[in-house]
Amino acid sequence: MNIHWIIPTRVGPGSGGTRTIAQVAEELGKNNSVTISVANEAYEPEEVQGVLRDSYGMQNAIVIAKEDIPSSLDVVVATAWNTVSEALNTPARARAYFVQDFEPWFMPMGYDQIQARLTYSQDLRMVTIGRWLPVKLQQEANGKAEPFDFCVDSSIYHRLDSTRERAICVVLQPEKPRRCHELLLQALRIVKHHDPSIHIYSYGSGVPLDDVETADAIDTQLGLLPVEELASLYNRCDVGVCCSSSNPSRIPFEMMACGLPVVDLHMENNLYDLPSDATSLAYPDPASMAEAILGLFADDSKRQRMSEAGFAFMAERTIEREKAMAAELIEKIGSGTFAAQSTQKKKYLVEGVRASSELYREAAIVAKLHEQVVRERLEARQSEEARIAEAAAAGTSDSPATFGIRRCIRHFLKKG
């Protein structure tokens, strides 16, 4: 079978969506001829091939120039809303749409969002990661889709014989609005105010957070971590926290595979894929998120039950299963045997966690205390800026370190 994938842009390392595409393309390449092109920009095939090989382990699929797309394709696969037009105009016996999230939510209301929504109504057979998206696509566009499950690389994400510490690991990604980092920071300040003994690690972003923004919330910023270090982190913390406000992140599944209880948002997008015995979903406000976290630290036996349940839930969800499920669906589209008719059922079957009135009151106190800390830190920075300016006016030369501090302070003051 000749299968061609269209990706939206040249790729770099560290993209979960690109990794999923590369893994499925690699799986399909074992028994089929698989090619890839880039839709929306000029590119060198060798450069894109190198990134997919070196960062995502893809060997079997070949990146080609647009003008070299085969003329006799069994399946062409769109992978984002802005690749659909090209997929529709590419000659092929069948067309697939590999949907990893509800992309209209990534943009403001306007023409692009409307165009993104319309792609779900085109003559494409849709395959989704996770079981919420078929429900959403049916609601939004009467679109029919068939899912494959979130799974993990069990050679990396598994339980280790390590002692857990009284700590939280939290995915903090300010560059991704759907990860709700402002909500998380407010929730974590409440947690730290209520129980200062809990150590809070943040990770997941190459963008360092300013110490004013993280005041009273984060103890240790870990940034981007290799996957082996992530698995180690999941095995030494007591609670994992992630905000998924669109299609679920892979991270809760990786956490569960390591036996880590998970706190996430109680929103419809999470109810079809996250199990109620291994995750604690909170209403999307800071106090309720803090309530869910503190509730787990107050109940050792519940954490242990959730740990065992999460590990059991992920036991059969290996990355090999995920790739095989997705590849089979694409091959069915090519052979004409694809039928999107499954009915999805919710996995999360309990009420979401909602904060008590006492914790809501505590949240208001924490917000005022944080404002005071921010004022004090800003004043300290302004004083330092003034001192440096005075030294410069007096002709005192700055050391490279002092110059760097001054530049950072000016950048911060300009921002705020």
Side-chain angles (χ1 to χ4, degrees), residues 56-365:
Y56 302 101
M58 194 188 77
Q59 304 287 341
N60 294 327
I62 305 300
V63 180
I64 59 174
K66 291 180 183 180
E67 57 268 24
D68 294 331
I69 295 174
S71 58
S72 57
L73 291 173
D74 293 291
V75 188
V76 60
V77 187
T79 58
W81 76 274
N82 54 354
T83 67
V84 166
S85 176
E86 189 164 319
L88 290 171
N89 288 305
T90 299
R93 289 178 55 247
R95 294 177 174 81
Y97 193 176
F98 195 77
V99 183
Q100 297 193 65
D101 214 326
F102 189 68
E103 291 184 294
W105 281 353
F106 293 3
M107 56 196 80
M109 176 54 73
Y111 186 57
D112 281 351
Q113 187 183 120
I114 293 169
Q115 291 292 98
R117 288 177 182 270
L118 288 174
T119 63
Y120 303 128
S121 303
Q122 300 299 322
D123 185 21
L124 300 160
R125 304 294 179 263
M126 292 188 286
V127 173
T128 72
I129 182 167
R131 296 179 178 270
W132 165 71
L133 278 169
V135 177
K136 182 65 176 175
L137 297 176
Q138 173 73 31
Q139 293 170 346
E140 292 286 331
N142 199 31
K144 307 295 184 183
E146 193 69 11
F148 61 96
D149 288 324
F150 286 98
C151 301
V152 302
D153 186 340
S154 55
S155 69
I156 297 169
Y157 299 104
H158 54 264
R159 288 193 295 194
L160 303 173
D161 186 16
S162 57
T163 301
R164 294 192 181 271
E165 59 181 278
R166 192 172 176 79
I168 297 166
C169 55
V170 57
V171 188
L172 214 55
Q173 297 174 314
E175 69 275 19
K176 296 181 180 179
R178 66 187 182 277
R179 296 287 173 247
C180 306
H181 92 282
E182 299 95 340
L183 186 159
L184 279 172
L185 285 172
Q186 293 178 49
L188 295 171
R189 290 186 196 109
I190 300 167
V191 170
K192 288 294 287 185
H193 181 266
H194 194 90
D195 189 344
S197 71
I198 298 172
H199 192 94
I200 300 178
Y201 298 96
S202 69
Y203 73 96
S205 175
V207 180
L209 294 169
D210 190 273
D211 67 347
V212 170
E213 189 175 15
T214 60
D216 308 322
I218 305 299
D219 294 301
T220 305
Q221 290 190 48
L222 298 173
L224 291 173
L225 294 174
V227 292
E228 291 80 10
E229 291 185 30
L230 272 180
S232 175
L233 180 67
Y234 298 157
N235 272 277
R236 74 171 187 262
C237 290
D238 270 336
V239 175
V241 182
C242 177
C243 274
S244 307
S245 63
S246 54
N247 205 33
S249 167
R250 282 187 176 275
I251 288 167
F253 302 93
E254 294 167 353
M255 289 176 169
M256 285 189 284
C258 295
L260 183 64
V262 176
V263 174
D264 207 319
L265 298 175
H266 190 275
M267 298 173 64
E268 186 189 35
N269 55 290
N270 292 323
L271 303 183
Y272 292 85
D273 292 286
L274 296 179
S276 48
D277 56 353
T279 60
S280 181
L281 303 187
Y283 282 89
D285 66 78
S288 295
M289 286 290 285
E291 183 83 53
I293 295 167
L294 291 167
L296 291 181
F297 277 99
D299 192 337
D300 294 348
S301 61
K302 182 176 181 180
R303 286 203 317 277
Q304 184 60 36
R305 291 195 304 272
M306 288 177 66
S307 174
E308 295 296 333
F311 181 75
F313 180 75
M314 296 302 300
E316 303 299 323
R317 290 179 171 236
T318 65
I319 197 64
E320 290 76 21
R321 170 182 162 182
E322 179 182 312
K323 291 188 293 186
M325 288 178 70
E328 182 182 7
L329 291 172
I330 299 294
E331 288 176 335
K332 283 183 175 180
I333 291 171
S335 66
T337 59
F338 178 84
Q341 57 188 7
S342 65
T343 300
Q344 307 307 318
K345 295 182 179 180
K346 293 179 181 179
K347 286 186 171 62
Y348 199 86
L349 303 175
V350 298
E351 271 297 309
V353 177
R354 194 185 294 275
S356 64
S357 56
E358 291 80 10
L359 203 62
Y360 276 118
R361 286 193 292 271
E362 188 171 344
I365 294 170

